[in-house]
Amino acid sequence: MKERDERVTNMQNQIYREMYWVVFAVVTASAVIKFILYGVEFRNVATEFVILIAQGIYYSVRSSQLGLFSAEVEMHDRKKKIPMWKKQLLIGLFLGVGMALYMGIHSAVMYADGTRQSFYYFISVFGVALLIYVPFLAAVMGISYYTAKRQSDKAMKKELDDCDETW
Amino acid sequence: MKNLKLKTARVEKDLSQEELAKHVGVSRQTIGLIELGKYNPSLKLCVAICKTLSKTLDDLFWEE
């Protein structure tokens, strides 16, 4: 077996953790700067978007596979008033409202002529976007939470099964 | 290697894995994995478990 100094390994893990936040900060700053310099266009920040989404998906998949997600939910729900499942739905809801607000304001500013039309554009686009995005994002967040939790519970059960069967 | 001593001490104290986990601030799975010998706890966690179960480190974690 390869000899490893556990203190060194722990310190390395700490550095990797910090490194993640450095990368996260650089990517976010890059997206913000591009928005400021070239305008709010998705194609300008596609790479940053992929980096941010991919690392989130990778973490979710791995933590579910290893059964870690169940433990995270348990620890979270033990300490916090709002359970994790409710928090996920709320995040979906707020993201939906945020998207609808952005689209409403964008359409009022870009395409309307005069205050009255701006208001009308804002209300109509905001309303429609709200009806589309809120249920969609809440469903995406809810379903991904449910799927991850189910897979994680299964993985953890498998690992602990030995314990239940023989003890 | 399974930690039978930990399991026995926990049962003697009439604690479930979940109750012990709450006492020492970890998840139930972590306690289960320690009892199964699938996870090596830190010294800090070992001490917390020993204090909760009123045992010494030798009682629970020393392998003969």
Side-chain angles (χ1 to χ4, degrees), chain A residues 30-86:
Chain A
S30 164
V32 171
I33 291 167
K34 280 184 180 174
F35 276 151
I36 294 167
L37 291 179
Y38 309 117
V40 185
E41 286 283 339
F42 174 73
R43 62 167 178 242
N44 292 334
V45 294
T47 312
E48 286 84 348
F49 182 77
V50 168
I51 293 170
L52 292 175
I53 293 293
Q55 50 90 17
I57 292 173
Y58 183 79
Y59 183 85
S60 305
V61 170
R62 288 295 288 148
S63 74
S64 303
Q65 280 177 343
L66 296 171
L68 200 65
F69 186 63
S70 309
E72 285 176 327
V73 171
E74 186 187 320
M75 294 303 289
H76 174 277
D77 291 357
R78 194 187 293 167
K79 286 181 202 156
K80 310 282 179 182
K81 277 182 187 169
I82 305 172
M84 182 86 101
W85 69 267
K86 212 179 257 183

Side-chain angles (χ1 to χ4, degrees), chain B residues 42-55:
Chain B
S42 67
L43 184 57
K44 195 177 160 192
L45 180 53
C46 289
V47 171
I49 291 171
C50 287
K51 280 183 178 169
T52 306
L53 299 179
S54 313
K55 297 281 180 187

